[in-house]
Amino acid sequence: MGDLEGKRIVLGVSGGIACYKSADLVRRLMDHGAHVDVVMTQSACQFVSPTTFQALSSGPVYTDLWDRRAPNNMVHINLTRQADLVLIAPASANLMAKLAHGLADDLLSTLCLASQLPLMIAPAMNREMWLAPASVRNVALLRADGVEIIGPGQGAQACGETGDGRMLEPHEIVDAVRAHFQPKILDGLKVLMTAGPTCEPIDPVRVITNRSSGKTGYALAQAARDAGARVTLVSGPTALPCPPGVTRLSVQTALQMHQAVMRHATESDLFIAVAAVADWRVANPTDEKLKKIDTGAPELKFVMNPDILQEVASLAPSPWCVGFAAETSLDLAQLQAKRQRKRISLLIANLAQDVMDSEDTQVQLIDESGSHPLPAGPKIQVARVIITEIARRYRQHQA
Ligand code: CTP
C-alpha cells in the first residue's frame, strides 16, 4: 500500500515553465496511491494544455471559477471539501502574492481562501523575483499563516540565469507530501544515527570495507525525519543523496564515525546504529601505495575498532539506543546475547544475504520478550514500521 493511499490532493498549477514537471508530479502522486484533482490558472494553460493533466489524472481539470459542470456552480467549494491537502506546484510569484494578501480573483486563489486545508506550495520563479523584497515579505506572511513552503531549489533557470527559484523536482515534492502525511510520533526529538559502511585504509588507494549500500539507514533517517525528529546522520561512504532536512556528517573510517557520534551522543534522545562498522582496522596503514614488486602479498596486522553502539549505550545518561544486526543465520540465543552485550533493549536483525543490494527488506525485532518479525516490504515502508515501534518503546521507557 502506498504512503498516499486514500489521500485526496488538490494540485494547483500556476503559470511558469516548471508546469511541464507538474505533469510528472501528478503521475508520481498517483503511483503512491493519491487521488489528484488538478486546478490550473489561465497562465498555466499557456504552458501546458489541460488535456495533458486530464489524461494523466484520469479526471476533469478545473480552470474556471465559473465552471458550469458543478451542479451547484461552486467548484471552488466542492473541490476542497473531500480533500486532505492543497498542493500548489509550481507556485508563481504572482500567485504567492495573491495568497499572502487573500486575493480571490480566479479559481485557484479562491479555493485556497475558501478552505482550511493544509496548504503546501512549491515556488518557481526567476531568482530576482524570488529575492525581490515583495516576494520575501510574501513568503514570511505565508509561513506565518502556516503555509508549508517547499524549496525552491537552486541552479540553472529557464531564463538563462542561475540561482534560487527552481521548482523542486517532482520526486522531491512527492517526498515532502509523503512526509506531510506521516504521524509526528518523534516530534521534537533529536535522533542520532549511523549508516553505510566504514572504509579502513591499507594504503592511500586500498581499503577494507563492509558490503553495505546504506539504503536501510537512509530509509530510517527519512522515516525518522518524516515522524518529526531532528535527524543527524553519521554516514560512511555511500552513493545515496542525503534526505532533505537531515543533517549528514560524512565519514570514512570507524574511528571518524566514533568521533562524530561521541560529539553528538549526549545531546540526542535516541541513537539508532545501522552502520556496518568495520570491526578491525589495519594497524599500520602506509602513506605510500604498497608495491607488489616490493611486498608480494602483504601481511596485514589488525587492531580492534571501538564498538560505537556499546560505548554510547554505556554513557550515563545515554540516549535510548537501538542496534541492527545483519547476520548470515538468525539464532535467537546469539541475537539476545548480542543485544545484552551491547546493553540495548532493542536489536533489529535481518539476514544479510536477503537484503544486501535489495530495495526490499525483512527484519525481526529482538527485545527482552523474544523475537517479533515484521512484514517484508520496500525499505522505506519497513523503516516507517520500525520507527513506529521505536517511538512506542521510547515513550514507554520515558513514562
Ligand atoms: N556497531 C558499532 N560499532 C562497531 C560494531 C558494530 O556501533 N564497531 C553497531 C552496528 O552499527 C550495529 C550493532 O553494533 O548496530 C551490531 O553490529 P554487528 O556487526 O552485528 O555486531 P558486532 O558486535 O560487530 O558482532 P559481529 O561479531 O557479529 O560482527
Side-chain angles (χ1 to χ4, degrees), residues 194-196 198 210 254 257-258 261 271-280 304-312 322-327 334-335 338-339 341-342 344 346-348:
T194 62
T198 66
N210 282 333
M257 185 172 275
H258 174 254
V261 166
F271 176 53
I272 310 176
V274 197
V277 185
D279 286 320
W280 325 280
M304 295 301 288
N305 272 326
D307 190 315
I308 303 169
L309 175 58
Q310 195 169 321
E311 207 171 308
V312 172
V322 179
F324 270 71
E327 310 284 355
Q334 279 180 12
L335 289 167
K338 183 176 280 194
R339 184 179 70 78
R341 197 169 62 244
K342 303 271 177 182
I344 56 177
L346 181 61
L347 181 71
I348 298 168

Side-chain angles (χ1 to χ4, degrees), residues 5-26:
E5 208 67 51
K7 303 294 181 205
R8 289 186 79 103
I9 298 173
V10 175
L11 173 64
V13 183
S14 64
I17 184 59
C19 280
Y20 81 94
K21 293 187 182 176
S22 305
D24 182 27
L25 177 60
V26 171

Side-chain angles (χ1 to χ4, degrees), residues 224-243:
R225 174 209 65 187
D226 293 351
R230 270 184 291 156
V231 181
T232 300
L233 177 64
V234 181
S235 173
T238 77
L240 301 172
C242 180

